[in-house]
Amino acid sequence: MLVIDASAFTRWAFPSEGSDRVSQALIRVMTEEESATSAATFPLDVLHATGCALATGRFTTAVHQHVLRLLSRLPVALAPMRISPLEFWTWAQSMQLGPHDAAYLKLAVDLKAPLVTMAPALHRACLQLDHPVITDLT
């Protein structure tokens, strides 16, 4: 079981931004060799990133549609937040994370599953908690 965040998916799916360990993990998920879950906001986070790429000309319409097809086919279960908003906010602040990043990390910690991320703040937080992380960040 892996927990996938939007930064990992977008780096994998965006042309020329793929990375070795993250790409390998997502290919294992796509081919169903490994199961994956993510925070309930995952599709929205990816849609936001791809929409920004399209709006700024970084993506053509064809590339944008390709990435959305990949997102639609990615077999990732979405998990709801199972903590009160106040507790969650306090925990996120203690980790120096915004709510979206904290949702991915909280899920990974609760499931005791490695977090697949390319977000520097999440990488740092995983190291701080001594939690397993799959990343290409050093």
Side-chain angles (χ1 to χ4, degrees):
M1 166 74 71
L2 299 173
V3 173
I4 308 294
D5 84 340
S7 73
F9 177 82
T10 55
R11 286 285 177 93
W12 175 63
F14 284 22
S16 76
E17 291 191 16
S19 51
D20 293 336
R21 294 181 70 215
V22 168
S23 290
Q24 291 168 10
L26 287 164
I27 289 168
R28 288 194 316 271
V29 170
M30 187 62 88
T31 59
E32 298 186 26
E33 294 173 39
E34 182 121 37
S35 63
T37 191
S38 191
T41 62
F42 173 76
L44 299 176
D45 293 341
V46 172
L47 288 173
H48 175 74
T50 60
C52 288
L54 182 63
T56 61
R58 189 169 165 212
F59 270 11
T60 64
T61 301
V63 170
H64 183 253
Q65 294 300 307
H66 171 71
V67 172
L68 294 184
R69 281 190 296 277
L70 282 175
L71 177 62
S72 297
R73 291 193 337 251
L74 189 69
V76 173
L78 300 179
M81 190 169 61
R82 301 190 191 285
I83 184 173
S84 79
L86 180 57
E87 288 177 282
F88 179 76
W89 179 256
T90 302
W91 184 80
Q93 293 299 291
S94 74
M95 298 304 305
Q96 299 176 334
L97 294 171
H100 286 260
D101 282 349
Y104 296 113
L105 180 58
K106 181 74 171 117
L107 180 60
V109 168
D110 289 351
L111 295 175
K112 297 176 178 59
L115 177 63
V116 182
T117 185
M118 287 298 292
L122 282 171
H123 181 234
R124 175 200 44 78
C126 285
L127 294 176
Q128 180 181 338
L129 293 174
D130 196 28
H131 186 81
V133 62
I134 297 172
T135 188
D136 292 314
L137 300 170
T138 54

